[in-house]
Amino acid sequence: MVETQHRIGEKSGDDSEAATMSDIAGSTPGMVWDAWGVPAGRKPLSDQLRGLVTQVFGVSGDPVTRRDEGDVPLRESALTSTLRDGLAEVVGADNVSTDHFDRLRHAGGKSTPDLLRRQRAATQQAPDAVVFPADHDEVLAVLAHCAQHSIAVVPFGGGTSVVGGVDPLRGGFAAVITLDLRRLDAFVSIDPVSATATLGAGLSGPGAEELLREQGFSLGHFPQSFEFASIGGFAATRSSGQASAGYGRFDSMVQRLRVATPQGALDLGRGPASAAGPDLRALFVGSEGAFGVLTEVTVRVHPVPDYVVYQAWSFPDFSTGAAAMRAVVQEGAQPTVFRLSDEAETGLNLARAGDIGGQTVSGCLAITTFEGSAAHVAARSAEAGALLAANGGTSLGEAPAKEWEHGRFSAPYMRDALLDLGVLCETLETATTWANLANLKSKVTAALNGSLRDQGAQPLVMCHISHTYRSGASLYFTVVAKQLDDPITQWYTAKKAAGDVMIAEGATITHHHAVGTDHRDWLPEEVGDLGVRVLRAVKAELDPTGIMNPEKLVS
Amino acid sequence: MVETQHRIGEKSGDDSEAATMSDIAGSTPGMVWDAWGVPAGRKPLSDQLRGLVTQVFGVSGDPVTRRDEGDVPLRESALTSTLRDGLAEVVGADNVSTDHFDRLRHAGGKSTPDLLRRQRAATQQAPDAVVFPADHDEVLAVLAHCAQHSIAVVPFGGGTSVVGGVDPLRGGFAAVITLDLRRLDAFVSIDPVSATATLGAGLSGPGAEELLREQGFSLGHFPQSFEFASIGGFAATRSSGQASAGYGRFDSMVQRLRVATPQGALDLGRGPASAAGPDLRALFVGSEGAFGVLTEVTVRVHPVPDYVVYQAWSFPDFSTGAAAMRAVVQEGAQPTVFRLSDEAETGLNLARAGDIGGQTVSGCLAITTFEGSAAHVAARSAEAGALLAANGGTSLGEAPAKEWEHGRFSAPYMRDALLDLGVLCETLETATTWANLANLKSKVTAALNGSLRDQGAQPLVMCHISHTYRSGASLYFTVVAKQLDDPITQWYTAKKAAGDVMIAEGATITHHHAVGTDHRDWLPEEVGDLGVRVLRAVKAELDPTGIMNPEKLVS
């Protein structure tokens, strides 16, 4: 097979590369309060898809009426003027807000239950104030002040959590503030020789990428939340992006961390690798604001690659496709992006935004991209392509892969469109070994189907692999069903069934969504009671009064 | 350039592959008490090299008289018969030893100061007893017993520590036992699909490798200590092996850990990756026995590769060679083994055991090997070779790389031969970013030269890179000088000067040797006082009476 190497930066015929680059340019937009993203990103469903959805799921299709942001009642701010003045002394009065809109836009994250609560709850929960510190030292001072005055603190990056990670919970304290880190947006430094960059925790994904590209570098971290999430949030939640096969999980990108805690600051990570005791960076990557606030992250970056090759593949079924992926990854020939949709997802064209609901496609679609120098891309795509072909894959050329890239940040907008039609749509994810993958997929699917059917709403459950490792892979499930009377309870009931199966089958409760409140009760099963005690001991040392993000990660 | 692909398992012309395989076969040998390794491994220096050494360093060359193992006085065992009987109840009387030879062979590790103390100290330190538990449950029971009766516990794998990690320190307790884990040698299970294996912590490097190869797999972890060190020790010290470019540090190989602590057991790691809070495995990888005992490790393995290609290269100088390595690693084209010796090391042929001290070679020698399928090896060696050639490298063919592989475990034996001649020989290591590498190398070299020269013994300082990362690399220094009257103080004085420079220049105090006692005082500078407090908080939770490996890692 002859593939086309696309020179990055050159305009390609179908504009897909240009579109991707314009998607990620610009400053950090704040998201709307009751849905994903920004109004400009919303894409109404096609008439065809809307017709299909209303028919399949038995919903009326009448769109939900959205509430006016200014009219939504909030719980009253519990922050006394004395406490407020104290915070204002630290960050300046302009940077302590009890404004209705600021509070409402920090009411929580973007899980489906979060969005359903925005539509349904009469009074919305909200932080008692939103505080905007300017830098690391101000964060330290705010934490010291809050520890002294028993105010709970919720660190907030892009607000994209789907596990309750930024819920403004008071946790027994008299008041809770949300610490919005958007002003920590410095491009602190770049080391082009070592290919590392030190970034403020509040930089958004596009903000960081834009600043890096001006220097000829890229981070290469593109999770679904990319357009709104922050550098600090990527680290605090152990994020993993769509190019993780090529550039690694965010965990592996972190070289150095600066952390502000109620007990002082930490500066962790000296050089690329060390044996100087346990890697303490790993305690803060994934700490979800429960120990302190990540204020600065030094990340591994890479020169903007010269070329990219796109290749799509079809496999007769999911297990054949997964075995082919395994062959590639275990040989060490993995692409930059490496995904496989199951039969249900492939059939609905969910990986190809332009074609969703179009003509049904059989088999399983796999997407690969290869980035690097001309020689690197040629060698890698040839090696991986030969292995995929030898393991049952049929080349589909580059078009489906480019279509996937073009639409890759649009799924959460489609969720909004479905939710508005009265359809429940949510995702959950896990990871396990290759040997356990088919078993786990089958049992999680059965648990979701069983729970939702028993509740009276036969779902459609789709799945893909989007993160691969030598020993295993992630499984990402998308679930669509009719909303019943109480869709929040409906979803949590189904999620409980699925999560219990993950734990029972030896898998992790979350591959890249983090713990927050939604996965907290599974954590003792994930790491054991003694593991939870270790986390509590670390928290007690760094946050002895327990103000940091109460009720998240550990209770 | 046309390179030869050697089919692994076939006998090659010069027997180097066969020699390597026979080196690693067999059961775990115990090391002699006062030197590295086993008597059969000792290699006397050639007359030529011996002449060179005595001349260059001004030593007499008269070999040290070795002491008879049976005649060496030990400190008296402080274990009362009651305490001994209690331990015997847990593991059986046969597995609690106060035998002179058992105690002496657990007197400590194998650093140069350790070996000099064996020669010089009249009375040797030794544990009050050596306990040989059979399995995880017995380890748990021993720890509970020792916590109850205030007995310090030193976990012991292969005893290869070069940082004081297995010194039998009582740490204020009435007695100390060494917990020798050699009976935890089970090949618990293998998952050939996911390419993982669960190994008892007491399995030696060769023992594990042999059992894996029977199943068609290899761990690919070959540190200098490989022949004697244990699986648990690799994890407890964050070991990194000679094939780390291809197969990763031991940190990255660990999938799952079973840990016994005085407060109970932990079982950490579910699947290949997770976002379920901080990665607690990283707290125990590198914990050096201070929190508990690693009893079982599930590691990533790989099928025994079909082919290997060897390529050696010459660079005009170290900075050109390092820049070429960086180009290869940052392109993602790294070999399986990737090393670069500086001018001093290259000149002495230190990387080529057969030729040490032979005809002087100019420039800097780099070694590469590539393992995998025929296609993988061909693609990778072509890509890396082109980059090395484009960055100033001249191919030397395969012979120097094969010679390096053949002699790669012999360096510690040569150290013994030098120590016996009255020459001081020791190594130290660090890591830093590519941008800081030349500066660090220059300053550490100057610190070693300055300190030893000021003490009256002009040294020879050599250096190589043996572990590479996208953002930086390790530096491994070998120091040779005349032993002065107090060579232990002589070395620690030089090491202090070098370590202070590493910290001042932003590097790590150890890339793969761990902390033990020797690097402990630098740890507050490496991770900060608050970082040390976090480690102490974890220890206090898991080991509230402080019996676990006292005075190691943190005091």
Side-chain angles (χ1 to χ4, degrees):
Chain A
M1 185 184 49
V2 177
E3 74 265 337
T4 308
Q5 292 194 351
H6 297 272
R7 193 167 180 93
I8 292 196
E10 275 177 10
K11 221 169 159 70
S12 61
D14 64 357
D15 268 358
S16 74
E17 180 61 27
T20 302
M21 290 307 300
S22 89
D23 285 350
I24 61 172
S27 60
T28 316
M31 286 194 280
V32 297
W33 78 285
D34 61 347
W36 182 260
V38 292
R42 287 191 196 154
K43 292 190 177 78
L45 298 184
S46 67
D47 287 347
Q48 185 194 15
L49 182 54
R50 194 177 148 166
L52 186 72
V53 164
T54 52
Q55 186 195 330
V56 169
F57 296 104
V59 294
S60 70
D62 300 332
V64 169
T65 310
R66 294 196 168 272
R67 298 159 81 182
D68 190 89
E69 197 170 354
D71 295 339
V72 178
L74 294 185
R75 70 175 180 187
E76 243 177 289
S77 173
L79 204 69
T80 64
S81 59
T82 313
L83 291 177
R84 189 188 157 134
D85 291 348
L87 289 165
E89 268 178 48
V90 177
V91 297
D94 288 352
N95 293 308
V96 182
S97 174
T98 51
D99 172 76
H100 175 86
F101 294 95
D102 277 335
R103 291 180 63 213
L104 187 57
R105 287 181 181 221
H106 294 82
K110 298 292 183 185
S111 70
T112 290
D114 288 333
L115 301 181
L116 291 169
R117 271 183 218 109
R118 306 279 155 78
Q119 283 180 5
R120 292 174 170 246
T123 299
Q124 295 288 313
Q125 63 178 353
D128 296 303
V130 184
V131 175
F132 300 88
D135 55 28
H136 173 84
D137 289 342
E138 283 195 6
V139 174
L140 269 179
V142 168
L143 299 189
H145 181 85
C146 290
Q148 195 186 343
H149 297 283
S150 295
I151 305 169
V153 178
V154 178
F156 191 101
T160 62
S161 175
V162 291
V163 293
V166 293
D167 282 5
L169 303 182
R170 288 184 184 142
F173 295 96
V176 57
I177 61 164
T178 289
L179 201 65
D180 187 310
L181 301 167
R182 70 179 62 185
R183 292 174 69 210
L184 277 74
D185 60 354
F187 188 77
V188 180
S189 63
I190 185 160
D191 173 349
V193 174
S194 311
T196 65
T198 301
L199 305 173
L203 272 172
S204 71
E209 199 63 30
E210 188 179 28
L211 292 165
L212 285 166
R213 291 202 180 210
E214 285 172 13
Q215 308 285 329
F217 286 86
S218 168
L219 181 55
H221 185 68
F222 302 110
Q224 186 82 79
S225 62
F226 169 75
E227 295 177 294
F228 302 98
S230 68
I231 293 296
F234 293 149
T237 61
R238 304 183 69 190
S239 173
S240 191
Q242 292 161 351
S244 67
Y247 300 119
R249 293 169 66 81
F250 202 79
D251 312 38
S252 69
M253 295 180 184
V254 173
Q255 305 289 300
R256 193 164 185 159
L257 279 176
R258 201 169 179 201
V259 191
T261 81
Q263 290 290 294
L266 288 139
D267 185 359
L268 297 168
R270 297 174 77 87
S274 171
D279 187 349
L280 290 178
R281 292 174 303 188
L283 260 185
F284 294 91
V285 174
S287 58
E288 303 188 23
F291 302 158
V293 179
L294 310 183
T295 58
E296 232 174 71
V297 187
T298 302
V299 288
R300 192 180 70 204
V301 296
H302 59 270
V304 175
D306 292 334
Y307 291 94
V308 58
V309 159
Y310 302 85
Q311 286 181 350
W313 296 82
S314 177
F315 289 91
D317 52 58
F318 187 77
S319 64
T320 303
M325 288 182 107
R326 178 169 75 85
V328 170
V329 175
Q330 291 185 344
E331 182 69 33
Q334 65 263 47
T336 307
V337 169
F338 205 10
R339 303 169 68 87
L340 175 71
S341 294
D342 74 355
E343 293 85 345
E345 196 174 286
T346 303
L348 269 184
N349 287 311
L350 206 64
R352 301 171 66 176
D355 278 345
I356 293 166
Q359 199 185 339
T360 297
V361 176
S362 66
C364 290
L365 176 68
I367 304 289
T368 64
T369 74
F370 300 85
E371 296 182 1
S373 69
H376 186 75
V377 160
R380 286 299 180 92
S381 60
E383 187 181 1
L387 283 164
L388 292 172
N391 282 276
T394 304
S395 173
L396 300 177
E398 63 177 20
K402 296 181 88 170
E403 281 175 53
W404 165 80
E405 184 179 81
H406 188 72
R408 64 180 168 164
F409 299 125
S410 63
Y413 288 109
M414 188 163 76
R415 177 182 61 166
D416 284 326
L418 291 170
L419 290 177
D420 281 359
L421 291 179
V423 173
L424 185 71
C425 176
E426 182 57 310
T427 64
L428 44 77
E429 35 81 66
T430 180
T432 194
T433 57
W434 291 111
N436 193 37
L437 203 69
N439 167 63
L440 183 68
K441 179 175 187 288
S442 155
K443 288 195 173 141
V444 170
T445 303
L448 290 166
N449 269 319
S451 170
L452 287 163
R453 192 181 51 230
D454 290 352
Q455 295 182 67
Q458 177 66 48
L460 175 65
V461 179
M462 296 164 283
C463 184
H464 65 247
I465 294 173
S466 46
H467 307 270
T468 50
Y469 307 88
R470 284 180 187 259
S471 63
S474 68
L475 288 175
Y476 191 92
F477 295 90
T478 301
V479 186
V480 187
K482 177 183 182 170
Q483 289 181 26
L484 302 174
D485 287 346
D486 179 358
I488 296 175
T489 301
Q490 179 191 358
W491 173 249
Y492 280 134
T493 302
K495 183 174 170 69
K496 174 79 166 65
D500 286 350
V501 162
M502 292 174 194
I503 291 293
E505 298 302 319
T508 181
I509 192 65
T510 174
H511 168 268
H512 61 266
H513 279 174
V515 176
T517 52
D518 289 7
H519 295 139
R520 195 188 58 205
D521 292 347
W522 280 293
L523 199 62
E525 297 183 84
E526 176 97 18
V527 301
D529 290 332
L530 196 51
V532 173
R533 277 173 53 191
V534 167
L535 292 174
R536 288 206 180 106
V538 172
K539 183 171 173 71
E541 185 67 30
L542 297 173
D543 174 29
T545 60
I547 58 165
M548 295 307 309
N549 217 8
E551 301 179 41
K552 319 293 168 55
L553 186 61
V554 287
S555 55
Chain B
M1 186 184 50
V2 177
E3 74 265 336
T4 308
Q5 292 194 351
H6 297 272
R7 193 167 178 93
I8 291 193
E10 275 177 10
K11 223 169 158 71
S12 61
D14 63 358
D15 267 358
S16 74
E17 180 60 26
T20 303
M21 291 306 300
S22 89
D23 285 350
I24 60 172
S27 59
T28 315
M31 287 195 280
V32 296
W33 77 285
D34 62 346
W36 182 261
V38 292
R42 287 192 196 153
K43 290 188 178 81
L45 300 184
S46 67
D47 287 346
Q48 186 194 14
L49 183 53
R50 194 176 149 164
L52 186 72
V53 164
T54 53
Q55 186 195 329
V56 168
F57 295 105
V59 294
S60 70
D62 301 332
V64 169
T65 312
R66 294 197 167 272
R67 298 158 81 182
D68 190 273
E69 198 171 353
D71 295 338
V72 178
L74 295 184
R75 70 175 181 187
E76 243 177 289
S77 173
L79 203 68
T80 64
S81 58
T82 314
L83 292 176
R84 190 188 156 135
D85 291 349
L87 289 164
E89 269 179 47
V90 176
V91 297
D94 289 352
N95 293 308
V96 182
S97 173
T98 51
D99 172 75
H100 174 88
F101 294 95
D102 277 335
R103 290 180 63 213
L104 187 58
R105 287 182 181 221
H106 295 82
K110 298 292 182 185
S111 70
T112 290
D114 288 333
L115 301 182
L116 292 169
R117 271 184 219 109
R118 307 278 154 78
Q119 284 181 5
R120 292 174 170 246
T123 300
Q124 296 287 314
Q125 64 178 352
D128 297 303
V130 184
V131 175
F132 300 89
D135 55 28
H136 173 84
D137 289 342
E138 283 195 5
V139 174
L140 270 179
V142 168
L143 299 189
H145 180 84
C146 290
Q148 193 186 345
H149 297 283
S150 295
I151 305 170
V153 178
V154 178
F156 191 101
T160 62
S161 174
V162 291
V163 293
V166 293
D167 282 5
L169 303 181
R170 287 183 185 145
F173 295 96
V176 57
I177 62 162
T178 290
L179 201 65
D180 187 311
L181 301 168
R182 69 180 62 185
R183 293 173 69 210
L184 277 74
D185 62 353
F187 188 78
V188 179
S189 62
I190 185 160
D191 173 349
V193 173
S194 311
T196 65
T198 300
L199 305 174
L203 271 173
S204 72
E209 199 63 28
E210 189 179 28
L211 292 165
L212 285 166
R213 290 200 180 211
E214 285 172 11
Q215 308 285 330
F217 286 86
S218 168
L219 180 54
H221 185 67
F222 302 110
Q224 186 82 80
S225 62
F226 169 74
E227 293 177 295
F228 303 96
S230 68
I231 294 296
F234 293 149
T237 61
R238 304 183 69 189
S239 174
S240 190
Q242 292 161 351
S244 66
Y247 300 120
R249 293 170 66 82
F250 202 79
D251 313 36
S252 69
M253 295 180 184
V254 173
Q255 305 290 299
R256 193 164 184 158
L257 279 176
R258 201 169 180 202
V259 191
T261 82
Q263 291 289 295
L266 289 139
D267 185 357
L268 297 168
R270 297 173 77 88
S274 171
D279 187 350
L280 290 178
R281 292 174 302 188
L283 260 186
F284 294 91
V285 173
S287 59
E288 303 189 22
F291 302 158
V293 179
L294 311 182
T295 59
E296 232 174 70
V297 187
T298 301
V299 288
R300 193 181 69 204
V301 295
H302 59 271
V304 174
D306 292 334
Y307 291 94
V308 58
V309 159
Y310 301 86
Q311 286 180 351
W313 296 82
S314 177
F315 289 91
D317 53 58
F318 187 77
S319 65
T320 303
M325 288 182 106
R326 178 169 76 85
V328 170
V329 175
Q330 291 185 343
E331 182 69 34
Q334 65 263 45
T336 307
V337 169
F338 205 11
R339 303 169 67 87
L340 174 72
S341 293
D342 73 355
E343 293 85 347
E345 197 175 285
T346 302
L348 270 185
N349 287 310
L350 207 64
R352 302 171 65 176
D355 278 345
I356 292 166
Q359 200 184 339
T360 298
V361 176
S362 66
C364 289
L365 176 68
I367 304 288
T368 64
T369 74
F370 301 84
E371 295 182 1
S373 68
H376 185 74
V377 159
R380 285 300 180 91
S381 60
E383 187 181 2
L387 283 164
L388 292 173
N391 283 275
T394 305
S395 172
L396 300 178
E398 64 176 19
K402 297 181 87 170
E403 281 174 53
W404 165 80
E405 184 178 81
H406 189 73
R408 63 181 170 164
F409 300 125
S410 62
Y413 287 110
M414 187 162 76
R415 178 183 59 166
D416 284 327
L418 291 171
L419 290 177
D420 281 359
L421 291 178
V423 172
L424 185 71
C425 176
E426 183 58 310
T427 64
L428 43 75
E429 36 80 67
T430 180
T432 194
T433 58
W434 290 111
N436 193 36
L437 204 69
N439 166 63
L440 183 67
K441 179 175 187 288
S442 156
K443 288 195 175 142
V444 170
T445 303
L448 291 166
N449 269 320
S451 171
L452 287 163
R453 192 180 53 227
D454 290 352
Q455 295 181 68
Q458 177 65 48
L460 176 65
V461 179
M462 295 164 284
C463 184
H464 65 246
I465 295 172
S466 46
H467 307 270
T468 50
Y469 307 88
R470 284 180 188 258
S471 64
S474 67
L475 288 174
Y476 191 92
F477 295 89
T478 301
V479 186
V480 187
K482 177 183 182 171
Q483 288 181 26
L484 302 173
D485 288 347
D486 179 359
I488 296 174
T489 302
Q490 179 192 358
W491 172 249
Y492 280 133
T493 302
K495 183 174 169 70
K496 175 79 165 67
D500 286 350
V501 162
M502 292 173 194
I503 292 293
E505 298 302 319
T508 180
I509 192 65
T510 174
H511 169 267
H512 61 266
H513 280 174
V515 177
T517 52
D518 289 6
H519 295 138
R520 194 189 58 206
D521 293 346
W522 279 293
L523 199 62
E525 296 184 85
E526 176 96 20
V527 302
D529 290 333
L530 195 50
V532 172
R533 277 173 53 190
V534 167
L535 292 173
R536 288 206 180 105
V538 173
K539 182 171 174 71
E541 185 66 29
L542 297 173
D543 174 29
T545 60
I547 58 164
M548 294 308 307
N549 217 7
E551 301 180 40
K552 318 294 167 55
L553 187 60
V554 287
S555 54

